[in-house]
Amino acid sequence: MIYFDLESHLGTLYKFEAIAWENGNPKDKFFALTNADMPDVVRRITGITHEQSRSGIDEREAVFAFWNFLQRNHAVAPQKIVVNGKEYHKICCIGYGVSRELQKIFLRFGIRLVFDNEERGDLYEYAKTYCNHLPLKSFRQSVVNRYFSIRENELNSIPLLHTALIREATRQITEEECERLVNRL
């Protein structure tokens, strides 16, 4: 499975990072910074410096390097699907709150993507849909990580969070928990 994160603002890509995870261990990594002009407010949020941006690569080059990473790690299905006369590549990868942004960025470069996994590429949406019983006010990644006692951060936490969310969504509710929920009503 490929886990990814990206930094973008108003459709401009600034950073891509990904990790190929196999049998509970990292197998391959990807990282790219772009040389896109970044507003100072975004720099403060992302921590990406002017020097890092200047040494970055072209946005198009970053997108196609990530595409090659996906292919190299067998995350792109060999066949495309056609919807309304348009071809889509099926990919199997997961991010947290960034899957739609990934689709938009790739579409700008002529590649249509659809996610080919149960989570539809986004653990944020998966958590809101299948783990909405969790006693959380916010499904921000840091909040969910804390709830599941995940001490890793950023990209390294996504595989662990994925495992925890799948386990939580498929967990059987005990009779005691069911009774407690009914009593709340």
Side-chain angles (χ1 to χ4, degrees):
M1 177 64 68
I2 304 294
Y3 297 93
F4 73 97
D5 193 18
L6 57 87
E7 296 293 341
S8 67
H9 179 66
L10 300 175
T12 302
L13 175 65
Y14 301 116
K15 179 178 86 171
F16 253 138
E17 61 181 328
I19 187 168
W21 202 258
E22 191 175 281
N23 299 322
N25 295 302
K27 177 184 145 197
D28 194 4
K29 291 185 178 185
F30 175 83
F31 182 83
L33 279 173
T34 70
N35 57 10
D37 189 33
M38 185 185 307
D40 287 335
V41 66
V42 176
R43 285 193 190 286
R44 283 191 295 276
I45 294 168
T46 64
I48 298 171
T49 66
H50 288 284
E51 294 75 28
Q52 289 171 318
S53 291
R54 277 194 291 268
S55 66
I57 60 177
D58 178 70
E59 202 175 359
R60 177 181 200 74
E61 190 178 342
V63 167
F64 284 100
F66 185 62
W67 181 247
N68 289 334
F69 173 82
L70 292 174
Q71 290 178 318
R72 179 174 74 238
N73 287 286
H74 311 289
V76 179
Q79 70 280 4
K80 296 177 189 174
I81 62 170
V82 178
V83 178
N84 295 327
K86 296 179 179 168
E87 290 185 338
Y88 290 80
H89 293 275
K90 292 191 298 184
I91 62 171
C92 192
C93 63
I94 296 175
Y96 197 91
V98 291
S99 65
R100 286 193 180 118
E101 194 63 24
L102 181 73
Q103 288 174 308
K104 289 177 193 174
I105 289 167
F106 267 81
L107 185 58
R108 282 197 353 254
F109 295 100
I111 300 173
R112 289 184 177 84
L113 301 178
V114 64
F115 293 94
D116 188 28
N117 49 324
E118 182 180 358
E119 303 79 13
R120 290 188 199 89
D122 203 323
L123 288 180
Y124 173 77
E125 294 296 332
Y126 185 83
K128 283 179 52 180
T129 303
Y130 297 102
C131 300
N132 58 6
H133 61 281
L134 295 176
L136 302 172
K137 291 181 182 175
S138 165
F139 279 96
R140 288 182 49 221
Q141 186 178 351
S142 59
V143 172
V144 181
N145 281 355
R146 254 192 321 265
Y147 177 81
F148 288 111
S149 301
I150 296 171
R151 297 191 197 309
E152 298 288 331
N153 54 26
E154 298 176 13
L155 184 64
N156 292 332
S157 72
I158 297 177
L160 303 172
L161 185 55
H162 181 218
T163 301
L165 287 170
I166 294 293
R167 193 176 302 132
E168 182 68 28
T170 58
R171 184 174 68 90
Q172 296 294 321
I173 297 177
T174 66
E175 277 186 46
E176 185 179 296
E177 289 172 313
C178 189
E179 194 172 309
R180 232 179 307 143
L181 289 170
V182 169
N183 289 336
R184 278 190 201 162
L185 300 173

